[in-house]
Amino acid sequence: MGKRVRRCASALYTVAILNLASGCLPVDPRGTIFTPAPTEAVTPNPEEPPVQAWEGMRIPAQCVKPVPRGLAPTFVAMAPDGRWILYEQLDHNLMHSSLYNLETGELRNAPSSWGRFDSFQWDERGRGLYALDNPGLFDLAPADRKIYWLDPEALTVQEVRDCPYCTGFDVNEKQGILVAQRSFGQREYQLDVLGWQEPFTNAVTVDRWRDESYGAVVLSPGASRVAYSRGDGIKEDGVFIFPLAILDLRSGVVITSLAGSSFQNVWLSDDVVLEPDLRAARVWKRNLQTGNRTVFAEFAPEVFEDYRRTFRAFGGGEPRGIYRVMIGDDGRFMLFRPRVNNSGGILHAADLWCSRRVERATS
């Protein structure tokens, strides 16, 4: 990659979007590219309320930057502290997995061996990722699927445990809980809960259903709720999405959330979930107890000015709303994809600490 020579685009924004990781920047022997940090360094305000309590935030353009190679990510996994992300994208007609640090701007090519996995989940300290092997790529029997731990520093892969017939999963290491979505037949699914080190013979099935399923499984930090895709996708304002079922593991109550149009690893607390607005440049916060929604954040109109110029040059459409959204547990970085026509556009990162600081300075 470092020996390839390509002509860098002249327009600054086009450089940031199209060529940031395509040979126009220095690459070290590990395949690491150092890019400009997404936003300037920001010190958190110790008096800020927890992110679950935030609402009505305005996000200015100065606090938003595109993610390198973020043209067509098929999945995004975000570390709990919100700094590192693993994402896959189409680059020069090839699929690549990249690790990107939203704080420092470090972009690292994931090892090619990681291409055999899917359903990536960061561990609770952000040291590495859990993942399932992909039977569709390696003719692996579903009964033989296993969970592995991937180390982005040592570039090693270690088998952790079995996960027969799993199509999606999440782990809460503090609570020692594994939640696995499993499929035993065509269009037949179930959701199982068991101890992280227990055999699947001890699993408790908390839900069963038929029809399609996207495979997203997310446990809340306190392991009191689990979000998962359940049933066929639907069309919402012309966009095909997979709504999420959010199950209260204590009461068995299920609510449906349009956070299903979000990334596979949605942001879910024990009390709220974030939902993108497909019709407007804003993100909603849904209270899981009452079902009420309030505006979590709105994007300033100038956020998408560069977007409009870039897509106009390529004959693309105008951004109409937010297609997907994800946030780190500490509430600093929010990943989002604007909705362009009826699909997602370029992956962006919004620095919410930066937004809060600007908001305080101008109020």
Side-chain angles (χ1 to χ4, degrees), residues 98-124:
S98 296
L99 289 152
Y100 183 58
N101 191 303
L102 297 167
E103 186 173 53
T104 67
E106 180 181 339
L107 177 67
R108 183 182 302 167
N109 289 329
S112 59
S113 60
W114 288 20
R116 63 165 291 185
F117 301 107
D118 61 10
S119 297
F120 296 95
Q121 301 280 2
W122 284 89
D123 71 3
E124 65 180 18

Side-chain angles (χ1 to χ4, degrees), residues 294-315:
T294 55
V295 175
F296 176 76
E298 291 190 278
F299 295 89
E302 59 269 20
V303 168
F304 300 110
E305 284 306 311
D306 283 337
Y307 217 107
R308 291 186 176 91
R309 286 194 293 269
T310 300
F311 270 81
R312 193 176 297 122
F314 288 92

Side-chain angles (χ1 to χ4, degrees), residues 65-82:
K65 294 293 174 64
V67 171
R69 292 182 179 173
L71 286 169
T74 57
F75 73 82
V76 180
M78 194 174 195
D81 67 1

Side-chain angles (χ1 to χ4, degrees), residues 256-274:
T256 300
S257 168
L258 289 184
S261 63
S262 189
F263 297 104
Q264 182 168 0
N265 302 71
V266 299
W267 186 79
L268 173 73
S269 79
D270 293 321
D271 305 309
V272 301
V273 65
L274 296 186

Side-chain angles (χ1 to χ4, degrees), residues 157-214:
V157 176
Q158 178 182 352
E159 182 181 322
V160 176
R161 64 158 298 150
D162 66 326
C163 201
Y165 301 97
C166 291
T167 59
F169 76 101
D170 197 6
V171 180
N172 187 301
E173 294 168 307
K174 288 182 180 179
Q175 303 290 334
I177 293 176
L178 169 65
V179 174
Q181 178 179 290
R182 302 204 288 166
S183 177
F184 293 92
Q186 187 175 12
R187 299 169 67 90
E188 295 180 356
Y189 295 88
Q190 67 186 49
L191 193 70
D192 292 339
V193 180
L194 65 154
W196 176 226
Q197 297 184 355
E198 291 182 343
F200 268 85
T201 52
N202 292 353
V204 175
T205 300
V206 294
D207 194 9
R208 286 191 176 94
W209 67 96
R210 291 184 60 85
D211 297 322
E212 298 294 337
S213 183
Y214 182 59

Side-chain angles (χ1 to χ4, degrees), residues 222-240:
S224 61
R225 297 181 190 269
V226 57
Y228 54 104
S229 173
R230 188 186 194 281
D232 288 330
I234 63 171
K235 273 198 171 181
E236 174 73 14
D237 194 35
V239 178
F240 188 76

